[in-house]
DNA sequence: TCTATAGTTGAGCATATATTCAACTGATGT
DNA sequence: ACATCAGTTGAATATATGCTCAACTATAGA
């Protein structure tokens, strides 16, 4: 009855104080959305392999396709997403397009991930 | 013709040396799979909010449902995935089930993410 | 200019996944 | 014992997404 947030929960609120504290410190919806989107880029087998490879060497689309045993098209589609997320940049050189990591921050995110994997 | 890796690329290999170097240092398929799966847990708006909230306070399902304005069912489904990925643990207490982060590593992954967001 | 090759793109398809819904379990209090 | 409420679960649905395919652009070399 007194639900102001439409698709709300169907229960009597138990720890209102805790909820208030958390809500007060909560980042904006946009922050979460952006963060989730960042992680989405790491959340696919192909993309994570591409990112890892590029963290090692600058590579062109064909190189990545050969490395991962996939078509240029599939790789190109994923590279586009990575580009739109500002995780990789490209450098046109003749017929080839060389891709590399946009910045070293990407490498950091990786390391944290691999650490966690190692721990479990 | 000499493609041993079936769904391979359709191009003459350009930088065979680079590919060899990267392939030599490449983590196993399982590692990438595990890592992608870890990031997948952070790659959804609901789950990332749950994880963030739990990094602040231990909470029961109803609390999370109220906080995020969602049904207990939706929250419970996501908590199950997080549990299976060993990112959260639960503590039964009477009628309530209290959830909290499984370990502090999770918090670290967050921070790296928020840092990156802040930089761009 | 003509051909070959690197790369991109959009549509279509198949799969994965987030939420809803309804039914259920289990603990509490009367 | 019974009603109530927290939480879980499985099926169903709607949406998101990764890859394929075919067509396209652009650059290099003949």
């Amino acid at each position: 009855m007194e639900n102001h947030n439409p698709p709300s929960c169907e229960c009597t609120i138990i720890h209102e104080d805790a909820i208030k504290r958390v809500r007060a410190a909560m980042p904006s919806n946009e922050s979460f959305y952006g963060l989730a989107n960042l992680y989405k880029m790491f959340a696919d087998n192909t993309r994570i392999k591409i990112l890892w490879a590029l963290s090692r060497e600058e590579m062109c689309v064909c190189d990545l396709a050969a490395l991962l045993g996939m078509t240029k098209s599939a790789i190109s589609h994923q590279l586009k997403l990575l580009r739109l997320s500002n995780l990789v940049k490209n450098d046109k050189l003749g017929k080839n397009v060389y891709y590399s990591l946009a910045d070293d921050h990407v490498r950091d995110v990786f390391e944290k991930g691999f650490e966690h994997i190692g721990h479990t």
Side-chain angles (χ1 to χ4, degrees), chain A:
Chain A
M1 280 270 138
E2 59 282 68
N3 278 345
H4 15 64
N5 231 346
S8 193
C9 84
E10 342 81 69
C11 49
T12 60
I13 292 178
I14 309 187
H15 306 93
E16 198 165 356
D17 48 334
I19 296 175
K20 268 188 186 154
R21 279 195 300 275
V22 172
R23 185 171 279 147
M26 203 149 170
S28 69
N29 251 312
E30 293 77 43
S31 295
F32 280 120
Y33 193 78
L35 198 52
N37 259 36
L38 169 65
Y39 285 124
K40 225 169 259 187
M41 290 301 111
F42 288 84
D44 171 79
N45 238 288
T46 302
R47 282 195 297 270
I48 206 168
K49 283 178 186 170
I50 290 175
L51 287 171
W52 185 87
L54 295 182
S55 80
R56 287 300 187 121
E57 305 235 8
E58 189 176 61
M59 287 183 129
C60 64
V61 179
C62 267
D63 292 342
L64 288 165
L67 176 68
L68 304 185
M70 299 178 66
T71 63
K72 285 181 298 177
S73 178
I75 299 291
S76 184
H77 276 297
Q78 298 301 347
L79 283 170
K80 185 176 192 176
L81 294 177
L82 293 171
R83 242 185 303 129
L84 289 173
S85 300
N86 296 308
L87 293 179
V88 306
K89 62 182 191 319
N90 56 0
D91 222 340
K92 218 161 184 171
L93 222 101
K95 278 202 287 187
N96 296 323
V97 180
Y98 290 85
Y99 280 86
S100 55
L101 292 192
D103 71 74
D104 285 336
H105 242 80
V106 181
R107 236 179 295 260
D108 292 356
V109 179
F110 259 122
E111 275 161 32
K112 276 294 162 209
F114 270 118
E115 264 178 49
H116 183 93
I117 289 291
H119 282 236
T120 48

